[in-house]
Amino acid sequence: MSRSQTPPSKAAPDPSGSPVHFVYQPIDFKLDSDETPDHHAPETMAGGVAVFDYNNDGKLDIFFTNGADIKTLKKDSPKYSNRLFENDGQGHFTDVTEKAGLAGTGYDTGVAIGDYDNDGFEDIFLAGVHRNTLYHNNGDGTFTDVTAKAGLHKPDPEYGPLWAVAGAWIDVNNDGLLDLVVINYLKWDVNHEPVCAGYGHNDYCHPKMYKPTPNQLFINKGDGTFRDASVEAGFRAHPGKGMGAAAADSELTGRMDLIVPNDKLMNQFYKNKGGGKFEEVAFEENVALREDGVYISGMGTDFRDLDNDGYPDIVIVALDGETFPVFKNTGKGSFTEVTRESGMTKLTLPMAGYSPMITDFDNDGWKDIFVSRGHVQSLASTNLKIEQPNTVFRNLGGMKFAALTGDAGFEAQAPARHRGSAFGDLNGDGRLDVVVSALSAPAEIWMNQSPGKAHWIEFKLQGTKSNRDGIGARIKVVTRSGAQYNHVTYSCGYASSSAGPVHFGLGANTSADLVEIRWPSGTVQTLKDVAAGRVVQVKESAK
């Protein structure tokens, strides 16, 4: 065990007067994806991040996935170790990877957090290149690799070993047990890598050079094992080049749907029909393509209510020249693209993004959008900005946004090829902080030092009939300023998980007049006159 020498970040003056402002804090981790002159595809796709409380001490910890030797896909050097950092709540992070048993063995890309056995301790699923891993949290600060025991170790009978980039824990059939969705990218073989040149040099190939692969669904059997239900769920019939997944109840049916962005293919929208079955309806829902019908390099995604109308909306990020599409939920079983009207077309056209996250950074009651930025390519040219700063798009109300980069403090560090990102309140001050990975560069913690005295409230749910994490529960908070909505989901952005309590900014309001929680079981609980400035723990009632 080694103790990070990083001091707690100090509030710094914000010369811009920006309503959203972050202060950089280093952490002792550098993502190593084993980049080589051969430009193997996985080298540019690493970097999942998780923010979660691994030991139930009420402080959010940080986990980073890491690469491996690209030829053997084995972590044959300590530089490839995944890393777990324990948070003392004061800005210090201690490396507890060795004690926890989480160094890993393979080339790990994405991380999904969820308590799959309802024992009260968060477990870890790692999505990787030709090997996924499930770690069971033993409740004593250690984890055990239970991949084979859980039945998640078998190669696909048709496609062989798959390259997974992300996972998502959701209870697809509302039986109180979290099921596992695995998002697979493309068919890749280190011995048959195409050679691609552009801008005067070799670099990573266009996804059209590789074959698509299907996503997977594993149903939780409740005995520590999982059943592959990909065919019956409808996933198998739709091979793609998935880059992420976000879950929300789009039509308020009590069932979680999935948006899956694809790389230079149509996005997929899986409508949950109940009983573990989905229908792919991206075209019908109007989220398959941009409104002009152009394929984009769909990277990460998030799926939450941006305009406080009670219906979750969708953001997908892509590369420069493609924009970051925003899809407004009409509440009538479809979406309408509002990228141009929201201001995002003009703001994002020159940007390349990987990991978007929707949450309220300035606690004004409107959810903002953070995007980790950086290009998929590795070598700069006159036409491409490879290394880029991160950006937060501040929600000005409804569906209008302003881009804050330097003003938000993100230019305090050199631009980088950022990848995964996760958020959570790391120091207990009621403002959401951000953790970001970057290829061949130090990871970044961005401590939220936004000015103002806006109030906040968070909810940590414990399911009884529903899954213990309460994933899928919808929360409505009513103040004098109006109503806003959020739901419990951990999968976010690109290959990452934000598994902290559900956060609401309350603006000038010092309390919530009404809180309504709709659990996946169908149970509805209400709380009245709930004081702000605290984490409210709510256990699902027996009624």
Side-chain angles (χ1 to χ4, degrees):
M1 180 189 299
S2 65
R3 184 160 179 94
S4 168
Q5 298 304 307
T6 303
S9 63
K10 302 295 184 181
D14 173 18
S16 70
S18 172
V20 183
H21 188 69
F22 293 86
V23 174
Y24 169 72
Q25 178 172 316
I27 188 168
D28 186 20
F29 172 74
K30 182 178 180 180
L31 174 61
D32 195 321
S33 62
D34 193 24
E35 290 193 278
T36 67
D38 295 324
H39 293 98
H40 295 292
E43 297 167 12
T44 193
M45 296 297 182
V49 180
V51 169
F52 75 116
D53 185 359
Y54 89 98
N55 56 1
N56 286 355
D57 66 353
K59 307 177 187 73
L60 294 176
D61 311 298
I62 301 173
F63 179 85
F64 295 100
T65 64
N66 207 351
D69 184 290
I70 194 64
K71 295 290 182 64
T72 65
L73 301 181
K74 294 181 179 179
K75 295 186 187 296
D76 55 8
S77 168
K79 68 180 181 178
Y80 297 128
S81 173
N82 301 326
R83 301 283 287 279
L84 175 66
F85 291 90
E86 183 176 330
N87 182 7
D88 71 352
Q90 302 297 318
H92 293 105
F93 292 89
T94 303
D95 186 341
V96 294
T97 310
E98 184 176 351
K99 175 187 175 183
L102 290 175
T105 57
Y107 202 112
D108 299 314
T109 302
V111 53
I113 302 298
D115 182 4
Y116 75 87
D117 58 354
N118 291 332
D119 67 351
F121 291 90
E122 299 290 2
D123 308 301
I124 302 174
F125 172 78
L126 297 183
V129 183
H130 298 174
R131 185 186 192 278
N132 301 327
T133 308
L134 179 63
Y135 286 105
H136 177 260
N137 190 331
N138 301 318
D140 60 358
T142 68
F143 292 76
T144 300
D145 183 342
V146 295
T147 314
K149 177 182 177 182
L152 298 175
H153 64 301
K154 302 172 184 176
D156 187 271
E158 179 181 351
Y159 292 84
L162 295 169
W163 170 10
V165 297
W169 292 102
I170 63 172
D171 185 357
V172 302
N173 50 13
N174 286 351
D175 65 352
L177 299 168
L178 289 178
D179 309 299
L180 178 63
V181 174
V182 179
I183 304 301
N184 294 307
Y185 189 33
L186 40 77
K187 183 66 177 174
W188 175 80
D189 181 350
V190 70
N191 296 314
H192 299 89
E193 189 76 74
V195 177
C196 299
Y199 303 104
H201 54 253
N202 290 341
D203 213 323
Y204 297 107
C205 287
H206 191 285
K208 69 182 179 182
M209 303 298 293
Y210 307 87
K211 294 181 179 179
T213 58
N215 301 314
Q216 297 165 289
L217 172 65
F218 295 94
I219 296 293
N220 191 336
K221 296 167 64 176
D223 59 359
T225 67
F226 294 80
R227 174 176 63 86
D228 189 340
S230 308
V231 173
E232 65 194 70
F235 288 8
R236 190 77 179 185
H238 302 281
K241 297 173 183 177
M243 289 285 282
D249 181 359
S250 66
E251 296 183 36
L252 312 188
T253 62
R255 300 185 293 268
M256 296 280 273
D257 309 308
L258 288 164
I259 178 68
V260 178
N262 281 289
D263 197 354
K264 291 294 187 180
L265 291 175
M266 288 188 288
N267 303 317
Q268 295 159 338
F269 189 91
Y270 291 101
K271 181 178 288 187
N272 193 334
K273 307 298 288 185
K277 292 181 170 56
F278 291 81
E279 181 182 6
E280 203 291 298
V281 292
F283 231 95
E284 293 85 342
E285 296 272 344
N286 197 38
V287 295
L289 297 164
R290 268 186 355 197
E291 58 188 359
D292 57 5
V294 173
Y295 286 147
I296 65 171
S297 306
M299 300 296 192
T301 185
D302 208 352
F303 194 177
R304 298 178 191 265
D305 183 10
L306 282 165
D307 55 358
N308 290 345
D309 67 352
Y311 291 91
D313 310 297
I314 295 171
V315 173
I316 297 174
V317 299
L319 298 182
D320 52 293
E322 297 177 338
T323 75
F324 299 169
V326 180
F327 298 95
K328 173 180 166 54
N329 191 331
T330 65
K332 300 176 182 178
S334 66
F335 294 78
T336 182
E337 187 181 346
V338 295
T339 316
R340 187 181 306 277
E341 299 91 317
S342 67
M344 291 290 279
T345 295
K346 182 178 180 180
L347 294 174
T348 65
L349 202 58
M351 299 180 178
Y354 255 83
S355 187
M357 305 185 301
I358 299 174
T359 194
D360 188 353
F361 288 109
D362 56 0
N363 287 335
D364 67 349
W366 295 99
K367 298 181 194 67
D368 313 298
I369 306 168
F370 170 91
V371 176
S372 70
R373 291 173 52 200
H375 210 282
V376 68
Q377 302 292 59
S378 64
L379 299 173
S381 71
T382 56
N383 300 304
L384 292 178
K385 290 185 177 180
I386 302 300
E387 297 175 329
Q388 301 184 17
N390 301 309
T391 296
V392 62
F393 298 90
R394 185 178 182 237
N395 193 334
L396 303 178
M399 285 287 191
K400 302 289 184 181
F401 296 92
L404 302 176
T405 302
D407 287 349
F410 293 125
E411 290 179 351
Q413 284 299 110
R417 288 177 291 157
H418 298 104
R419 291 300 185 256
S421 66
F423 65 81
D425 184 357
L426 298 176
N427 58 358
D429 68 353
R431 294 174 290 191
L432 292 175
D433 312 300
V434 174
V435 183
V436 189
S437 68
L439 288 184
S440 302
E444 302 165 0
I445 297 177
W446 292 99
M447 300 301 292
N448 191 338
Q449 301 286 357
S450 297
K453 298 180 179 180
H455 298 281
W456 59 276
I457 194 168
E458 292 187 344
F459 297 92
K460 183 174 177 56
L461 305 190
Q462 180 182 330
T464 53
K465 292 180 290 183
S466 304
N467 66 85
R468 187 178 176 108
D469 286 337
I471 289 176
R474 289 186 286 121
I475 305 175
K476 175 182 179 181
V477 171
V478 180
T479 66
R480 292 182 213 175
S481 302
Q484 52 177 302
Y485 306 80
N486 209 334
H487 60 282
V488 183
T489 181
Y490 294 164
S491 177
C492 69
Y494 174 71
S496 298
S497 287
S498 296
V502 182
H503 183 92
F504 290 83
L506 300 183
N509 299 286
T510 57
S511 66
D513 299 335
L514 174 69
V515 177
E516 181 182 88
I517 302 170
R518 293 184 174 271
W519 297 85
S521 66
T523 297
V524 178
Q525 282 177 258
T526 57
L527 309 173
K528 295 183 179 180
D529 299 322
V530 184
R534 61 195 180 108
V535 178
V536 181
Q537 301 196 27
V538 182
K539 186 173 183 178
E540 184 178 13
S541 69
K543 296 181 180 180

